[in-house]
Amino acid sequence: MRRPLQRPKGAGSTVLWDLLTFQHLMTNQVIHLIYWAGLALIALGAFGTIGAAVGVAIRDPFPWGLVLAIPVVIGGFVVMAALILLWRSFCEFYVAVFRISEDLSVLRESVEAERKRTLP
């Protein structure tokens, strides 16, 4: 097993050290930004679908436009709900993987500390 790198002393250097060595992962904070950005894109697509359905209903002089627009709006809401659930599960998967990684890192540190205590 490789020996861990020595951490520098000082307030500013520890933040830079954590960023460069991946000792502490920033993924939990970053995934929240990615999650909200993905939700914004899904909402933008949903508004586009609703706008397209309204445009079809307004543009067609016959009542068929309205009959065609209603299923498009309902389908858009169903697709939007499915995309939100998929996006949420995708982001939760990545958070879980990185939390497992952090837990394994803590376990490794505790095992190494236990070995140092038991060895003379």
Side-chain angles (χ1 to χ4, degrees), residues 21-112:
T21 61
F22 296 100
Q23 291 295 323
H24 296 281
L25 301 176
M26 296 180 5
T27 307
N28 289 335
Q29 293 84 12
V30 173
I31 199 73
H32 290 288
L33 296 173
I34 293 171
Y35 173 70
W36 286 106
L39 282 182
L41 288 175
I42 291 170
L44 189 65
F47 289 136
T49 302
I50 293 169
V54 169
V56 166
I58 290 173
R59 194 178 74 198
D60 198 358
F62 300 108
W64 294 111
L66 184 62
V67 171
L68 181 64
I70 291 173
V72 170
V73 169
I74 293 171
F77 282 132
V78 169
V79 169
M80 181 186 67
L83 285 175
I84 287 172
L85 289 175
L86 284 172
W87 184 245
R88 175 72 184 209
S89 64
F90 179 75
C91 290
E92 283 183 4
F93 171 75
Y94 276 106
V95 168
V97 167
F98 281 100
R99 284 195 181 160
I100 289 170
S101 171
E102 289 174 356
D103 290 344
L104 288 175
S105 175
V106 169
L107 285 173
R108 184 189 67 198
E109 289 173 2
S110 67
V111 166
E112 288 176 358

